[in-house]
Amino acid sequence: MVDVTDVSSVTPIIGRLTVVGLGLIGGSFAKGMRQSGLCTEVVGCDLDPVARRQAVPLGVVDRVTADLSEAVAGADMIMLAVPVLGMRAVLEQLAAMPSQTAVITDVGSTKGAVVKAVEEVFGRVPSNFVPGHPIAGSEKSGVEAARADLFKHHKVILTPLEDTSKQALALVQQCWQALQADVEQMSMADHDEVLAATSHLPHLLAFSLVDTLAGRNENLEIFRYAAGGFRDFTRIAASDPVMWRDVFLANRDAVLRSLDAFTQDLSRLRDAVESRDANTLLGVFTRAKSAREHFSTILARRAYMEPMQTKSINFVASPGGKVQGQIRVPGDKSISHRSIMLGSLAEGVTEVEGFLEGEDSLATLQAFRDMGVVIEGPHHGRVTINGVGLQGLQAPPGSLYLGNSGTSMRLLSGLLAGQTFDTVLTGDASLSKRPMGRVAKPLREMGAKIETADEGRPPLRISGTGRLMGMDYSMPMASAQVKSCVLLAGLYASGSTSVTEPAPTRDHTERMLKGFGYPVKVDGATVTIESGHKLQACKIDVPADISSAAFFMVAASICEGADLLLEHVGINPTRIGVINILREMGGNIEMSNEREVGGEPVADIRVRYAPLKGIEIPVDQVPLAIDEFPALFIAAACAEGRTILRGAEELRVKESDRIQVMADGLITLGVKAEPTPDGIVIDGSRIGSGSVESHGDHRIAMSFAVAALRAEGEIHIKDCANVATSFPDFVGLAQGVGMRVRLEENA
Ligand code: S3P
């Protein structure tokens, strides 16, 4: 990337650049390119004499003319920056000139109309034409507003066609990158649809609202009392009217689609106000509020924008530090997911306390909002769910995006298989690689229609046939997600549904179903439910997540002098493998104040430093500590002697291949770690320093942050943004107890 203020080190890649149209956008492009040093000469062309008079003194271009053929003579690149509807006239003149070898690009904010004009004028779209659109602007216009840095950190969308030349595309991309823009590619149709919804429609609304209010008799009063909301909402009504007129005419069809959908929703809201329908109003407002709050994460990823995630977050963990004090880690992830699911399907209002406000459980919450459930919150862990009953879900407007959350996808697939509407479940890059055949197979045996991508990967396309049959399913692997999926499908299946597990796995679904008054039979390793009953709303107190507490249990165990109290931690017997294993390694862990809250056992856990020794981890503890192994591997690295894990092949299909990724990181830090197909062998030793990859896996990231307590130097941990899926304030809490970990954000 070229710093537009420093051209000393840049070699020009373009001789002459001609910019046609020296308004804000064209002028800013010209000015930025001039300063970048990437071209030897920038020529401007504009019919407006004032713009021509100002362009050279303002440093926008080297020379300027009103004559297009003079401007483009000898140009290597031509940038068309005239309003969309003015484009055709310029193209016609260009087409009449001797054949162009220059790369031609544009900044038109609707791509279909520009490309159509090019096609009609030239007879086909020349391969040296690269359609583009910078998403930057301001309420100021004209060459006098041009800024060399206008595009810095703004998106520029290029919409190449099938036979657009690769070299031309690369050159245009390089120019925008030199202006520090984030360049994306999209299809022309997608671009116009997305922009119609996210840019054109809001501009139309802002123009319209200001016009409506300005036309009222009491307009002076209204504008005098205009509060911040009105100002924010209508800021864009000060934009260039001519440009916007052109945009709406050029992108007419896509705008109409968005406008019609909006008009329909608006009239529904009008009806709700008229009939005092508080539930509908709250439903729309809570859905919108959460969508707005999670705009940059969930919403931005859901639209075409997965690669647009701009910030990468790394951790830097410095050696040493303390582990001291008293903390409560966030709510249990498994229980939080289930509280939303069962609360939504219950009759009445369910109040949840201690809900985990992490991206994974929020993805579940959003999915139910998308299916018409009115959910208030979360606010400081409180969520109010207005249950719709087992038959009350509605078809979502689009696919359900579940981010990084395997639990959301697997559990939802069971209950969606029982609906009468179709759904599509998608996720981020990591979730899209995870095996879903394990849920699709039993669900198909129950009569569900589910399509997956290759090798049983997401997305899942579930047809709501409304006809499932109960069955007895013997699970090939110990998985609470599969068990829960089949049980939730069982709520909708004819007759009874049983699941038998090869080893005990977390039983939150069974416990919570009972808490909602739904009969569940547990007989040894087999759980059975029958359809035909109802879920009754209740209160849920989500305990702190033992999986999150585990990082601090290991931290306190390995850090000399440590003494830490973890409050209100869930100690369900199917989850306490980490305590059992650490104790067997010599850990000093005491539980006190044991009690039961809402059907789940809870305790305060005190952990003090103790020298650990390597052990052979008992295989029966594996499913009971399945999420805690990354942290336990750090304990093993700090223990004296060898730790051996077997029977844990499931770790290879978690958010990352946790055996390989942990082994790679440990080896980088100088620890002897040898992965095996179903486990790992770790020899306790000194921990060095270095840079490790978390592969976007939250638990790997947090584990290496803990390792720094015993490291000899800094540990840099890459790709830690997903810590927010399960433990949003990990760094804050870790610093609070004395650990020396900090965030490093890269744009
Ligand atoms: C979970 C079950 C486990 C666990 C996951 C949460 C659940 O997955 O790893 O983090 O909430 O049911 P498996 O069922 O795949 O073992």
Side-chain angles (χ1 to χ4, degrees):
M1 205 171 284
V2 179
D3 179 348
V4 286
T5 57
D6 172 20
V7 297
S8 52
S9 57
V10 181
T11 334
I13 51 167
I14 300 169
R16 179 170 301 156
L17 163 71
T18 298
V19 179
V20 185
L22 296 176
L24 171 74
I25 301 288
S28 297
F29 182 79
K31 198 170 186 176
M33 284 299 289
R34 243 188 118 222
Q35 292 186 12
S36 75
L38 280 188
C39 41
T40 41
E41 188 189 28
V42 179
V43 180
C45 180
D46 203 299
L47 293 178
D48 174 9
V50 181
R52 286 204 304 277
R53 205 174 330 115
Q54 292 181 322
V56 175
L58 287 172
V60 170
V61 291
D62 295 296
R63 63 186 170 86
V64 65
T65 166
D67 179 349
L68 187 66
S69 54
E70 184 191 328
V72 301
D76 299 305
M77 181 164 165
I78 302 170
M79 162 59 86
L80 304 178
V82 295
V84 177
L85 294 191
M87 209 67 96
R88 176 181 285 269
V90 176
L91 291 167
E92 276 165 358
Q93 286 186 56
L94 278 181
M97 291 176 199
S99 90
Q100 288 294 341
T101 51
V103 169
I104 307 176
T105 184
D106 80 309
V107 294
S109 42
T110 75
K111 299 313 331 157
V114 173
V115 170
K116 187 157 166 266
V118 172
E119 200 167 13
E120 282 169 8
V121 169
F122 286 86
R124 64 182 175 87
V125 182
S127 64
N128 58 344
F129 178 68
V130 182
H133 174 210
I135 306 184
S138 100
E139 285 63 62
K140 297 195 190 118
S141 47
V143 72
E144 60 276 24
R147 283 181 8 224
D149 65 352
L150 183 71
F151 306 107
K152 189 172 176 179
H153 302 322
H154 281 268
K155 305 258 177 256
V156 171
I157 301 176
L158 302 181
T159 62
L161 303 163
E162 222 164 80
D163 35 63
T164 303
S165 127
K166 296 253 173 321
Q167 289 90 325
L169 179 63
L171 187 71
V172 173
Q173 173 148 354
Q174 208 174 342
C175 292
W176 284 115
Q177 281 168 343
L179 305 185
Q180 302 192 34
D182 302 330
V183 185
E184 310 267 338
Q185 287 184 29
M186 226 187 233
S187 80
M188 200 169 72
D190 280 353
H191 169 277
D192 286 359
E193 207 67 44
V194 169
L195 269 290
T198 58
S199 167
H200 306 169
L201 181 61
H203 276 84
L204 195 79
L205 301 183
F207 282 127
S208 162
L209 180 66
V210 175
D211 187 47
T212 304
L213 296 191
R216 282 172 50 170
N217 286 340
E218 64 277 33
N219 62 6
L220 249 188
E221 285 300 279
I222 290 179
F223 285 102
R224 211 146 63 89
Y225 293 110
F230 179 79
R231 271 177 227 279
D232 289 351
F233 184 78
T234 57
R235 177 180 59 81
I236 50 182
S239 307
D240 181 354
V242 175
M243 186 194 112
W244 281 100
R245 177 202 61 192
D246 287 6
V247 166
F248 288 110
L249 298 179
N251 201 21
R252 174 176 167 268
D253 295 348
V255 168
L256 284 181
R257 276 191 290 278
S258 281
L259 191 56
D260 289 347
F262 178 74
T263 311
Q264 218 179 45
D265 289 349
L266 192 62
S267 82
R268 238 179 257 139
L269 270 182
R270 189 202 168 278
D271 293 347
V273 173
E274 188 174 40
S275 60
R276 302 193 164 82
D277 176 355
N279 207 45
T280 297
L281 292 176
L282 196 63
V284 173
F285 299 166
T286 47
R287 274 199 303 278
K289 177 173 158 58
S290 86
R292 185 66 184 83
E293 280 167 359
H294 300 288
F295 194 61
S296 52
T297 51
I298 291 181
L299 243 203
R301 288 186 212 171
R302 168 184 296 187
Y304 306 84
M305 306 187 181
E306 172 104 42
M308 282 195 190
Q309 284 176 54
T310 42
K311 275 197 188 133
S312 75
I313 293 179
N314 300 329
F315 286 171
V316 180
S318 300
K322 291 187 309 192
V323 184
Q324 214 94 45
Q326 185 165 339
I327 54 172
R328 177 165 171 167
V329 299
D332 188 280
K333 184 151 76 75
S334 295
I335 299 176
S336 295
H337 281 298
R338 288 157 172 85
S339 70
I340 298 294
M341 294 181 188
L342 299 190
S344 295
L345 299 176
E347 322 254 319
V349 178
T350 291
E351 300 277 356
V352 185
E353 300 250 12
F355 179 79
L356 167 67
E357 296 184 34
E359 286 178 8
D360 275 13
S361 35
L362 289 173
T364 292
L365 191 153
Q366 185 63 31
F368 281 88
R369 280 194 173 134
D370 287 349
M371 291 189 284
V373 182
V374 176
I375 304 174
E376 294 160 63
H379 182 66
H380 296 157
R382 282 182 71 94
V383 181
T384 304
I385 308 163
N386 296 274
V388 294
L390 277 164
Q391 309 301 335
L393 295 180
Q394 294 162 19
S399 56
L400 297 172
Y401 177 76
L402 302 169
N404 194 245
S405 177
T407 309
S408 308
M409 190 170 281
R410 296 208 178 105
L411 270 59
L412 268 172
S413 66
L415 70 86
L416 292 175
Q419 305 302 317
T420 49
F421 51 82
D422 299 347
T423 37
V424 178
L425 307 185
T426 63
D428 70 2
S430 150
L431 182 54
S432 300
K433 287 191 211 130
R434 297 185 65 187
M436 294 297 147
R438 54 179 59 198
V439 287
K441 180 176 175 290
L443 291 174
R444 284 182 188 133
E445 286 171 28
M446 294 174 81
K449 277 182 70 184
I450 301 189
E451 282 171 38
T452 65
D454 287 352
E455 296 170 7
R457 314 277 173 211
L460 293 184
R461 290 172 195 283
I462 304 176
S463 305
T465 60
R467 279 190 307 275
L468 294 184
M469 290 156 307
M471 71 151 171
D472 297 339
Y473 187 59
S474 191
M475 281 195 298
M477 76 288 284
S479 165
Q481 293 181 352
V482 177
K483 172 175 68 174
S484 304
C485 163
V486 174
L487 290 176
L488 292 173
L491 295 173
Y492 293 92
S494 57
S496 78
T497 301
S498 301
V499 187
T500 303
E501 51 190 6
T505 65
R506 67 192 68 194
D507 61 357
H508 306 300
T509 305
E510 300 89 300
R511 284 175 187 256
M512 201 181 283
L513 278 167
K514 286 182 194 160
F516 276 89
Y518 203 99
V520 179
K521 204 174 111 206
V522 181
D523 182 7
T526 302
V527 192
T528 306
I529 62 165
E530 269 176 34
S531 57
H533 301 274
K534 283 182 178 170
L535 295 160
Q536 246 341 301
C538 62
K539 284 204 178 324
I540 296 176
D541 183 342
V542 182
D545 197 330
I546 190 168
S547 298
S548 298
F551 300 105
F552 291 99
M553 291 186 201
V554 171
S557 299
I558 64 172
C559 175
E560 222 164 299
D563 187 351
L564 184 71
L565 189 73
L566 293 153
E567 298 164 16
H568 202 77
V569 182
I571 50 158
N572 181 314
T574 60
R575 297 284 298 280
I576 53 168
V578 61
I579 297 179
N580 300 337
I581 293 168
L582 276 177
R583 278 185 172 153
E584 199 168 324
M585 294 175 81
N588 181 349
I589 302 177
E590 273 171 24
M591 291 201 266
S592 62
N593 199 10
E594 288 187 39
R595 58 220 181 260
E596 189 160 307
V597 242
E600 291 280 350
V602 169
D604 298 332
I605 301 179
R606 183 175 181 192
V607 189
R608 276 170 287 183
Y609 167 74
L612 301 180
K613 60 179 192 320
I615 60 166
E616 279 201 30
I617 295 173
V619 178
D620 64 354
Q621 294 299 311
V622 170
L624 313 184
I626 193 70
D627 290 338
E628 287 65 74
F629 282 109
L632 284 168
F633 294 171
I634 301 300
C638 298
E640 196 184 323
R642 173 169 286 190
T643 296
I644 302 172
L645 172 68
R646 292 194 190 89
E649 56 282 337
E650 277 292 302
L651 289 181
R652 292 203 179 266
V653 289
K654 294 291 177 192
E655 284 82 330
S656 69
D657 175 345
R658 286 183 174 159
I659 292 177
Q660 194 59 49
V661 173
M662 282 303 297
D664 291 345
L666 286 170
I667 291 166
T668 301
L669 299 178
V671 177
K672 195 162 163 247
E674 214 181 295
T676 61
D678 68 341
I680 195 165
V681 180
I682 298 172
D683 287 320
S685 70
R686 50 166 280 278
I687 297 179
S689 65
S691 176
V692 297
E693 298 284 343
S694 79
H695 289 271
D697 185 327
H698 53 140
R699 301 202 194 280
I700 305 275
M702 291 184 274
S703 299
F704 281 113
V706 168
L709 285 162
R710 285 275 288 267
E712 286 164 1
E714 269 186 354
I715 302 181
H716 289 246
I717 310 155
K718 301 264 179 65
D719 202 2
C720 302
N722 278 337
V723 167
T725 61
S726 70
F727 202 153
D729 190 29
F730 169 73
V731 169
L733 270 186
Q735 287 173 348
V737 300
M739 289 167 60
R740 301 175 59 201
V741 54
R742 62 186 161 84
L743 287 177
E744 193 185 67
E745 275 184 27
N746 296 327

